Amino acid sequence: MVNFILVPGARLGSWAWDDVVPHLRAAGHGVHPLTLSGLAEKQGIPAGQQTHVRDIVDEVVRLDLREVVLVGHSYAGIPVGQAAQQLGDRLAHTVFLDSSIPADGESFAGPYPAIEASLARNDGFWPPAPASHYAGHDLTERQIARIVADTTPHPGRTLTEPAVLSGPLSDLKATYVLCAPPGEEPDDDVAELVTDGRWRLVRMGTGHWPMFSRPRELARVLLDVAGE
């Protein structure tokens, strides 16, 4: 048995994993979806990038978990990558789910000037995206409506504060799950980590939110990781 810590991407809460959790639990594993500070039911809690790293580490320590498979979707790959380096022998594997990966001294928003401009216009928060943002990602209208209804503004300091790494990411035993059409390749930084043989690349032929569009298939991917 492993213990999955499921960390959702920007604007999302633990609810984003609702359709994935039953499949993992049915296979006999511990499953712990996590809402990061400042989001969903934790709105109002001040949060920077290191707050989110601590959220993840503290959850593992609080529950005294071992054999942890740490899963980070989208934005959450940045705090997940940092937290993974702090978990020591509690960590079994890290899964970057169509996510950003941290680079020491760099922020999530760094490559995207439009995000910082949006934060300046919205009192330091990244506002929820409209329904059109989710078009073309293998989602039904009902799924999009659910996401739009439940997302919350994302605390900006988590996006603009730099990541702090204690060593190279290549030291992690990790899987990168690329959600993209056939033929599309991962970013150069991910491709390099896969090429060196430490990370494994798994492809899913769906959009950026597979926990909604393909929950059963995503669960199968995660169970395969747990079985390694």
Side-chain angles (χ1 to χ4, degrees):
M1 188 189 89
V2 305
N3 286 290
F4 290 99
I5 297 286
L6 306 176
V7 189
R11 308 177 175 116
L12 303 172
S14 61
W15 59 269
W17 303 99
D18 285 354
D19 295 336
V20 178
V21 167
H23 300 295
L24 301 179
R25 287 188 174 150
H29 298 291
V31 189
H32 309 275
L34 179 65
T35 294
L36 296 171
S37 293
L39 294 155
E41 74 274 16
K42 295 182 180 178
Q43 284 186 87
I45 298 175
Q49 176 59 217
Q50 294 308 306
T51 313
H52 283 179
V53 176
R54 289 194 301 273
D55 285 343
I56 299 163
V57 174
D58 288 352
E59 183 76 351
V60 173
V61 173
R62 181 181 70 83
L63 298 173
D64 194 23
L65 300 178
R66 304 282 173 174
E67 292 299 310
V68 170
V69 176
L70 191 54
V71 183
H73 169 249
S74 192
Y75 151 79
I78 292 192
V80 156
Q82 295 168 79
Q85 293 187 330
Q86 299 181 25
L87 291 179
D89 61 5
R90 293 178 182 270
L91 183 70
H93 203 94
T94 308
V95 180
F96 294 90
L97 177 57
D98 212 42
S99 76
S100 300
I101 62 173
D104 191 49
E106 298 183 16
S107 70
F108 174 84
Y112 311 109
I115 293 179
E116 296 209 35
S118 178
L119 299 179
R121 293 192 305 269
N122 292 280
D123 298 321
F125 286 85
W126 199 18
S132 58
H133 180 69
Y134 302 97
H137 284 275
D138 198 21
L139 296 164
T140 67
E141 289 186 6
R142 185 173 182 176
Q143 288 167 335
I144 291 173
R146 177 191 178 195
I147 297 169
V148 170
D150 290 345
T151 50
T152 49
H154 192 100
R157 286 196 300 114
T158 69
L159 306 173
T160 58
E161 290 182 356
V164 180
L165 297 179
S166 59
L169 287 177
S170 57
D171 288 348
L172 294 176
K173 186 178 182 184
T175 296
Y176 191 92
V177 181
L178 178 66
C179 299
E184 188 168 318
E185 296 300 324
D187 293 342
D188 290 346
D189 51 358
V190 173
E192 183 178 346
L193 287 160
V194 170
T195 300
D196 76 10
R198 185 65 171 173
W199 287 27
R200 185 165 63 107
L201 178 66
V202 174
R203 300 175 187 271
M204 290 185 66
T206 189
H208 183 58
W209 290 273
M211 64 278 287
F212 301 110
S213 62
R214 302 286 180 88
R216 186 182 297 273
E217 184 180 338
L218 174 58
R220 183 69 261 165
V221 169
L222 297 179
L223 290 171
D224 286 347
V225 168
E228 282 191 341

